[in-house]
Amino acid sequence: MHDTPHDGTKAPDRHSGVRRAFAASLAGTSLEWYDFAVYSAAAALVFGDLFFPSEDPLTGTLLAFSTYAVGYVSRPLGGVVFGRLGDVIGRKKVLIATLILIGAATFLIGVLPAYSTVGVAAPIALVVLRFAQGVGVGGEWGGAVLLSSEFG
């Protein structure tokens, strides 16, 4: 049963806030892990040929997987930067910013020209965008966990 304020309006439902925080955290984390999973498949199947052509296909595949590692290495930076921003400007705003960052980086990776088109700029751009994805995931994951635990 909800308490009603003296002016006759309904008091805010705490459970709806908890549900919204849970849904936002779940959606953000799910989307970001999905992006990471798709990237790993693309690194294994096509990125070696597109961005790291060489005589040896194994070398191209290993270089493609090294870009995958860049996303993991950059996560702590995202946690530090966006964790501090969450304290200053609010967790919800930071959650949205990290979702936009990872979405934009993922989109740009999808439309990135190959090595055959722009040369060495292609793998450099791939590494920079992968770094941005990792920063976004690091910031989003920490923020989502904290947002969920605050409502828990």
Side-chain angles (χ1 to χ4, degrees):
M1 185 173 257
H2 297 288
D3 293 327
T4 54
H6 296 299
D7 63 0
T9 61
K10 268 192 151 180
D13 184 8
R14 177 168 163 32
H15 293 292
S16 70
V18 171
R19 279 188 233 117
R20 284 190 345 202
F22 173 74
S25 297
L26 178 66
T29 303
S30 298
L31 286 171
E32 303 213 5
W33 282 105
Y34 175 76
D35 285 343
F36 259 63
V38 169
Y39 188 94
S40 67
L45 300 173
V46 296
F47 283 176
D49 294 335
L50 291 177
F51 297 104
F52 305 102
S54 68
E55 298 298 319
D56 182 21
L58 178 62
T59 301
T61 302
L62 289 175
L63 288 170
F65 275 123
S66 69
T67 66
Y68 187 71
V70 167
Y72 283 97
V73 171
S74 62
R75 282 182 179 190
L77 177 64
V80 169
V81 169
F82 286 111
R84 177 69 183 132
L85 279 175
D87 292 341
V88 173
I89 65 172
R91 306 230 184 279
K92 290 178 187 177
K93 289 180 182 177
V94 169
L95 183 63
I96 291 167
T98 57
L99 290 173
I100 290 170
L101 175 63
I102 189 106
T106 301
F107 173 78
L108 291 172
I109 287 171
V111 298
L112 197 61
Y115 184 90
S116 61
T117 306
V118 295
V120 74
I124 290 171
L126 180 65
V127 169
V128 168
L129 291 170
R130 185 63 181 162
F131 187 85
Q133 274 186 324
V135 168
V137 169
E140 189 279 331
W141 191 82
V145 168
L146 189 56
L147 189 65
S148 296
S149 66
E150 285 176 349
F151 277 95

